[in-house]
Every structure is written in structure tokens, then in C-alpha cells.
Amino acid sequence: MATALLMTVAAVLSVALGAEKPNVIFIVADDLGWNDVGYTNPDVISPNIDFLAKSGVILDQYYVQPLCSPSRTAFMTGVYPYRLGLQHLVVMNNQDVCVPLDRKMLPQLLKENGYSTHMMGKWHLGFCKWECTPTYRGFDSFYGFYSGGEDHYSKEVNGFDFRNNTEVCRDGAKNYSTYQYADRMEQIVRGHDPKNPLFMYMAFQNVHMPMQVPEKYTAMYPHIQNENRKYLSAMVTAVDDAIGRLITSLKQKGIYNNTLIIFTSDNGGWTSYGGNNYPLRGGKISIFEGGTRVVGFLHGPMLARKGGKFDGLMHAVDWFPTIAEAAGIQNKEPDQDGMSQWSAINSRGPALRQEVVYNLDYHSLPLQGQAAIRVGDYKLIEGFPGMYEGWYKPDTVYKEPLGNLTLDLNNLPKLNIGEDFHVFKYLFNLKDDPTEHNNLYDKLPDVVKMMEGKLEAAKKRYVAPNFPSADPKSNPQNYGGVWTPGWC
Ligand SMILES: *[C@@H]1O[C@H](CO)[C@@H](O)[C@H](O)[C@H]1NC(C)=O
Ligand SMILES: *[C@@H]1O[C@H](CO)[C@@H](O)[C@H](O)[C@H]1NC(C)=O
Ligand SMILES: *[C@@H]1O[C@H](CO)[C@@H](O)[C@H](O)[C@H]1NC(C)=O
Ligand SMILES: *[C@@H]1O[C@H](CO)[C@@H](O)[C@H](O)[C@H]1NC(C)=O
């Protein structure tokens, strides 16, 4: 009798506690640039994103990694990719690599604390064995693809890649990916049992190349001449429509008032494919601000602060502990780099973060081989800052990477870290010079010395990139033409 009563009390309590936890929707737009949303660039049509951002909290000094897999690693683990061997380029489909299995991912933590956890879209955190894939790493359901990019309609990338949970899903080739993810989102919200809180990771394929989008969206940009820019803008508007559908379905379900919506890009815009980060310097793949300082915001009726910008430094690794705190969960994960920004964002408290490590990657080339850190207002770059080094305006044709660092991929310069690593050296004061025009490296030797000391400290925790050569066992031909786990 007493036991039964206790159990009832416990059940009531857990439901009540569960009910208090906010639903969390974590939205990632792939390759979205600083200058690619309506609230930073009025040429882009994104009314839903603009509304959420302007009535939420815009993150003004918010950093991610310069490429997809590393940023997603940081979102999911709260750990810098340079500490996990995942800082070099991205996880290739044919590499025996995934996020280390001893790291708990955010959906796992939320699931342990009563959340229903669902993902749709792009994974890109490795899939050589099943244990690496979303439904083995904390997601109750998965609807999307394992690779870094594919055809938005056929879901082909030298092999078919689309799954419903673990099953190959040929229906995935029926429609435009962003439509399909919005359909899936509606289905999950409609079917959601509100006695548990909901976590949804909407990892859109847009606005990543290939440049594909239904014609009704390109028709909204008759004034844009450059083809890639027209498509990119239209792809943003397609995501914005999907987000409009999200808001509507949350309201229809009656859970909008208890839902925290987070929006972020995973790296800067890819200037070769219509992305734009102007006036920031560089873009995707580069360590300049255009590759790493991105659009991001929070929105939710539970935020104490609504409207305005949060100008404390924040990094992708901070989401794990920040979301845990927002959900009232004790985050006991050891050895993370993230800091909870929840109270600083909410209470206009003092900025917590003094430092951001942009990257540490001594896997010389191709394309990277760099160390960069921000401490307060200063930023130090040593090594190769990336192949996009200029300031690119929208609606201009950038078919090839521009700038002085254009590389011949058949004849890559060999960067020997020990000897040539200091080939490129930059010091910027980002407060005075957020667009990185004025290299202070030779003018402020004391600051350089201090910053190099910080880099040295970070290097103590460096793990060399896990970047093996292609494993032929991965070949989709071995699996009926489908990219499939089980070969590592
Ligand atoms: C996905 O799988 C679930 C069961 O595993 C099934 O109920 C559902 O209809 C499937 N959805 C699609 C779109 O195939
Ligand atoms: C694609 O999805 C959209 C949005 O759900 C829908 O309106 C359209 O009919 C679908 N098209 C096809 C070919 O299934
Ligand atoms: C959300 O809260 C606001 C203010 O508290 C209220 O006016 C509105 O009706 C609520 N909406 C829903 C869908 O519960
Ligand atoms: C590129 O760098 C070289 C020196 O390496 C310099 O002479 C040249 O003017 C630079 N070009 C541009 C476009 O900045």
C-alpha cells in the first residue's frame, strides 16, 4: 500500500517534472553564411527566421568550426574537435572514422532525462559501423542521410543514402529534402506525447550544394543575376518556409509556449556555391571570421531576455551544457570544453567565455594546417588560414576560390609544421577590426607572445587528426548501391 502510494507520488512527480522541461528544437542550416539571412541582408527572404531571431536573442559573437563534421561534433559532444581527432576537413564516406564512442552525445543525455529524441536530415558524424549512427547514439528516430552532402532529390552521392531509422528508405527519393524534413517534423510534433519533453534535431541539407530548389523559390529572386546566388537565396527561403511550418505545428499542438528553438549554421557560407559572409573575411573552410563566426539565435517564451543581441563569446561546444541547464539537467559529462551560457544569455550576466580555439590542425595539407585562437578581442592565426582569404560581395561570380591562396590541387605546397608553420601569421583586434583588414602581428609582439602562450596551453590537449585513406570495404557496390554501415 505504502509502496504503491510512493510509486504513484513518484510517477506524478516525474510527470510534473517532465512537463516543466522545455521542448528543445535544435535547427542547423548547412553552410549558411553570415550574409545569407534576412535579418543581416534584406535581399534574402526569410520572414520566419527573422521573426524568431528578432523576438529571441541573437548571438553576435558566436563561433563554430570552419567545416561540417567538426561543428556537428562540437554540437553533439561539447568537446572541441581538435581534442577528438576530428578537426581535419570532414568525415569522408569511405573513411573508418566516427565520433569516439566513449563520448556521450547530447540526445543520449536528454533521453536519459525523459526526452523523446528525434533527428531529421544530415548526420555526417561517421557511419562505418552501426554503433556510430544516430539511432545508436541517443536518437529515438532518424530520417535522413549519413553523408555530408548528396543530390537533394535523388539522394545519391556515388551511392544511395537515405534512411528511416536504420532501414534504407527508397521513398526518400520522392521529393525535395527540405520538404521531406518538414513533413517528418510535422508528423513527429503531431504524434508527440506531451507527457515527455521533446528534443528535435533538424539538420537541414539546405543550403549546401548542389544548387537545387523548387522553382517557386528561385522565382522569388528575379533581381539576382548570379545563378549560384539566386539558388542559394532560394534555398534559404525554402528552409524558412519549413521553419514557418514548424512554428505552426508547435502552436497547433499547443506546445509552442514551452519550446526553446535554437538556430545555427555549421560554418560560414561557401563562396564558390553562392554563400556569402560579407563584410566578414573568407568563408567556409577558412579560419577567418567569415568561415567561423556565424548566424545563430535562441527563441522561446521562457527566455527572460527577448529581443536584442548577446555579445558574449560563445562557441558550438557550449550548446551541450547550455541546453542541459535550460532543461534543468545536471550535466556531469567529464572533460568537456563547453560552458553553459544559459544564465549569461538570460540574465544579461557577465560574459563567461574569454577564449575560443578556432582550430588546431597540424595535418598539414590538403587545405588545412593551422592554429588559431581568440583571447578577448585578439585573434592569432598561424599556418594556413584557408583557401578563401578575401572579402566577397554577394551577386558576383565566384566560380573558383579567389584570393592569393588559390591552390593547385595537383601540386599542393607542403607545409612542414615544424619548419614552415609560421608562413602565415596574423594578429587582429576584432573589436576594432571585425573584418580582419589590419594585421597587427609585427606591431604588437607582446600580445603575440601572450597569445602564443595560450596556443601552447591548448596544444597540450591536441589529438592528431584521425584521417585515414579510403577503405574499399565502404564501397556501396558491396551493399546493393547503398552507403551502409558494417565495414569497420
Ligand atoms: C518509418 O519507419 C516506421 C517504423 O519503423 C514506419 O512506421 C514509418 O511508416 C516509416 N516511414 C517512412 C516514411 O517510411
Ligand atoms: C513534396 O512535398 C510537398 C510538401 O509536403 C508536397 O506539397 C508535394 O506534393 C510533394 N511532392 C511530391 C512529388 O510528393
Ligand atoms: C502562450 O502564452 C501567451 C502569453 O502567456 C498566451 O497569450 C498564449 O495564448 C499562449 N499560447 C498558447 C498556444 O498556449
Ligand atoms: C599575392 O601575393 C604576392 C606575393 O606573394 C604579391 O606580389 C601579389 O601582389 C599578391 N596578389 C594579390 C592579388 O594580393
Side-chain angles (χ1 to χ4, degrees):
M1 175 82 176
T3 318
L5 183 66
L6 269 179
M7 281 173 65
T8 310
V9 170
V12 168
L13 261 179
S14 76
V15 169
L17 287 175
E20 280 168 20
K21 293 192 188 301
N23 307 302
V24 179
I25 318 284
F26 191 78
I27 305 172
V28 177
D30 200 357
D31 288 359
L32 185 74
W34 178 260
N35 200 26
D36 291 340
V37 290
Y39 73 86
T40 59
N41 177 356
D43 283 346
V44 179
I45 302 165
S46 61
N48 295 299
I49 290 171
D50 300 352
F51 160 76
L52 291 178
K54 287 179 182 166
S55 53
V57 179
I58 293 173
L59 304 170
D60 192 46
Q61 299 286 325
Y62 166 55
Y63 290 93
V64 295
Q65 300 297 125
L67 283 158
C68 311
S69 302
S71 289
R72 288 155 203 264
T73 299
F75 296 151
M76 290 294 125
T77 64
V79 182
Y80 279 130
Y82 81 82
R83 297 189 45 229
L84 301 173
L86 288 162
Q87 69 274 50
H88 185 69
L89 300 178
V90 297
V91 178
M92 308 290 179
N93 278 3
N94 50 23
Q95 282 179 324
D96 168 359
V97 173
C98 78
V99 175
L101 296 174
D102 59 353
R103 290 286 174 174
K104 185 177 282 183
M105 287 200 176
L106 177 62
Q108 261 173 291
L109 178 78
L110 295 174
K111 193 175 159 75
E112 286 163 12
N113 285 275
Y115 275 76
S116 303
T117 55
H118 301 279
M119 172 174 177
M120 56 225 65
K122 160 170 158 175
W123 179 240
H124 210 189
L125 293 176
F127 64 89
C128 66
K129 58 180 151 202
W130 287 108
E131 288 79 0
C132 298
T133 62
T135 49
Y136 288 76
R137 304 215 68 169
F139 286 105
D140 293 334
S141 83
F142 170 68
Y143 182 72
F145 63 109
Y146 293 152
S147 335
E150 60 184 7
D151 187 286
H152 288 260
Y153 291 94
S154 71
K155 314 301 189 290
E156 289 280 341
V157 50
N158 302 319
F160 184 72
D161 185 9
F162 204 89
R163 292 193 185 246
N164 175 27
N165 300 324
T166 54
E167 297 297 313
V168 177
C169 180
R170 291 285 174 186
D171 277 358
K174 280 202 172 145
N175 210 335
Y176 186 60
S177 63
T178 297
Y179 285 162
Q180 288 176 291
Y181 300 138
D183 289 350
R184 175 67 159 205
M185 170 277 299
E186 282 177 351
Q187 189 192 340
I188 283 168
V189 170
R190 262 201 310 272
H192 176 65
D193 179 350
K195 90 174 189 303
N196 295 317
L198 171 67
F199 174 66
M200 212 160 38
Y201 175 27
M202 300 181 72
F204 285 108
Q205 185 179 356
N206 281 20
V207 299
H208 198 290
M209 56 78 85
M211 312 311 291
Q212 294 171 309
V213 68
E215 204 188 325
K216 75 169 185 185
Y217 294 112
T218 44
M220 295 165 83
Y221 293 92
H223 55 293
I224 296 190
Q225 301 304 309
N226 177 267
E227 199 75 350
N228 276 349
R229 185 66 186 158
K230 187 193 283 279
Y231 272 78
L232 187 292
S233 308
M235 289 167 89
V236 176
T237 305
V239 168
D240 190 74
D241 266 4
I243 291 174
R245 288 172 64 185
L246 169 70
I247 300 171
T248 302
S249 58
L250 293 171
K251 285 185 174 164
Q252 280 171 353
K253 183 76 178 177
I255 59 174
Y256 176 73
N257 270 6
N258 193 30
T259 299
L260 175 65
I261 299 174
I262 293 165
F263 180 90
T264 175
S265 181
D266 64 338
N267 46 246
W270 201 351
T271 48
S272 293
Y273 296 97
N276 198 263
N277 311 295
Y278 196 80
L280 300 182
R281 182 172 185 175
K284 177 180 178 176
I285 318 178
S286 89
I287 209 77
F288 289 116
E289 297 290 284
T292 53
R293 182 180 168 201
V294 294
V295 290
F297 61 80
L298 301 89
H299 174 94
M302 76 293 293
L303 287 168
R305 179 199 320 224
K306 290 184 198 68
K309 289 180 176 173
F310 173 64
D311 61 7
L313 269 187
M314 181 161 175
H315 186 273
V317 291
D318 295 337
W319 287 119
F320 188 120
T322 300
I323 291 171
E325 186 175 350
I329 296 169
Q330 286 263 332
N331 173 23
K332 297 200 186 110
E333 280 315 291
D335 194 30
Q336 287 186 328
D337 299 298
M339 307 173 173
S340 174
Q341 301 271 4
W342 186 244
S343 54
I345 288 170
N346 256 303
S347 63
R348 296 167 196 265
L352 286 176
R353 187 174 269 291
Q354 304 302 321
E355 277 181 38
V356 161
V357 179
Y358 290 82
N359 206 13
L360 288 181
D361 178 2
Y362 302 111
H363 187 287
S364 55
L365 288 169
L367 306 186
Q368 286 183 307
Q370 63 205 198
I373 191 167
R374 177 168 176 176
V375 180
D377 295 333
Y378 287 105
K379 172 178 184 177
L380 177 73
I381 302 176
E382 292 185 339
F384 180 54
M387 58 197 284
Y388 299 92
E389 66 142 12
W391 296 265
Y392 312 105
K393 290 185 180 168
D395 205 14
T396 312
V397 179
Y398 296 117
K399 284 213 169 87
E400 297 302 329
L402 295 182
N404 218 8
L405 298 176
T406 302
L407 290 177
D408 173 1
L409 290 179
N410 296 317
N411 188 20
L412 290 169
K414 177 113 183 71
L415 265 190
N416 181 329
I417 296 312
E419 291 151 29
D420 325 328
F421 190 61
H422 297 272
V423 177
F424 303 100
K425 291 180 276 193
Y426 295 91
L427 179 74
F428 298 109
N429 180 332
L430 294 174
K431 189 169 181 210
D432 300 342
D433 179 26
T435 55
E436 299 170 294
H437 279 85
N438 190 10
N439 187 359
L440 302 171
Y441 192 91
D442 294 328
K443 294 190 186 130
L444 297 175
D446 291 347
V447 177
V448 167
K449 203 165 166 222
M450 178 276 288
M451 302 284 286
E452 284 181 335
K454 298 282 188 183
L455 266 185
E456 281 307 314
K459 278 180 206 167
K460 293 203 170 74
R461 289 156 27 114
Y462 175 75
V463 172
N466 181 14
F467 202 80
S469 45
D471 185 335
K473 292 200 296 295
S474 63
N475 193 336
Q477 300 301 315
N478 300 330
Y479 299 94
V482 182
W483 288 104
T484 300
W487 43 272
C488 75

